[in-house]
Amino acid sequence: MPAQPDRFTDVRNSEEFGELRRAHRSFAFPLTVAFIAWYLLYVLLSNYAGGFMDTKVAGNINIALVFGLAQFLTTFLIAWWYARHAAAKIDPKAEALKARMEAGE
């Protein structure tokens, strides 16, 4: 079946597609802003609060190392959380939309 641009435009303008976009944006945008703020806090503290970041926590482990490792941890947690969110809220809507498009509705 040849591509029909009107079908794609109709789907893009549909309420169903709007819900799909809202489900993605309502999760991804706030979390992206929060993660960037967390990262910038780490960078700013590293540049302007060297004494604080050099504070020993245990042995040779200082706050800077703990914050740096926490960056990795939060990255993996956000990816895991997004995968759960997508599986529960985004994928079912996307599959329904895809099935409707493939059926020619």
Side-chain angles (χ1 to χ4, degrees), residues 29-95:
F29 288 178
L31 224 54
T32 299
V33 170
F35 183 78
I36 290 171
W38 162 234
Y39 174 74
L40 290 175
L41 174 67
Y42 173 68
V43 170
L44 291 171
L45 287 174
S46 294
N47 282 317
Y48 300 110
F52 170 71
M53 295 296 271
D54 199 33
T55 303
K56 301 289 184 195
V57 176
N60 287 331
I61 298 173
N62 60 19
I63 291 178
L65 180 61
V66 172
F67 272 34
L69 292 174
Q71 293 286 319
F72 286 102
L73 178 63
T74 54
T75 300
F76 289 113
L77 285 174
I78 289 169
W80 170 78
W81 193 13
Y82 179 77
R84 285 178 43 106
H85 171 75
K89 304 270 169 92
I90 297 173
D91 293 348
K93 292 176 184 179
E95 286 298 321

